[in-house]
Amino acid sequence: MILYNITVNIEKQVEQEWILWMKEVHIPDVLATGIFHENKFYKLLHETDDGTVNYSIQYFTDSMEKISEYNSTYGPKLQSDFKAKFEDKYVVFRSLLEIVK
């Protein structure tokens, strides 16, 4: 199992708009690629001093091959849509994790 984790620091003044867009548009678009079979959406419970709120969006898939397909086929457009909608309002960090058995 591979976890594709995206941590987003979003400005507080667009937080509610961003949450709604994530739930109604972006996450469904990512799942519609067929690459991921599950997702989770979390708010980090710590204070920031920079006027942002932190969230973790997690997508689960079965293989690195599927991640490669996502990154080459779907990721650039979805990331471009994200940037166009919230440019200069966020910072994003992406990481891949593998379940340890």
Side-chain angles (χ1 to χ4, degrees), residues 82-100:
F82 189 105
K83 182 177 180 182
K85 182 80 174 160
F86 295 99
E87 190 159 12
D88 299 327
K89 304 285 185 202
Y90 72 95
V91 175
V92 64
F93 305 93
R94 294 177 180 85
S95 53
L96 290 170
L97 298 90
E98 183 176 37
I99 291 179
V100 178

Side-chain angles (χ1 to χ4, degrees), residues 63-81:
S63 68
M64 284 303 296
E65 291 79 16
K66 287 186 176 182
I67 293 292
S68 293
E69 179 183 352
Y70 176 80
N71 285 332
S72 64
T73 305
Y74 306 103
K77 164 111 175 56
L78 291 165
Q79 291 170 14
S80 176
D81 293 347

Side-chain angles (χ1 to χ4, degrees), residues 3-14:
L3 165 60
Y4 180 43
N5 184 75
I6 298 99
T7 302
V8 178
N9 302 349
I10 190 80
E11 291 183 5
K12 287 181 183 178
Q13 58 264 53
V14 297

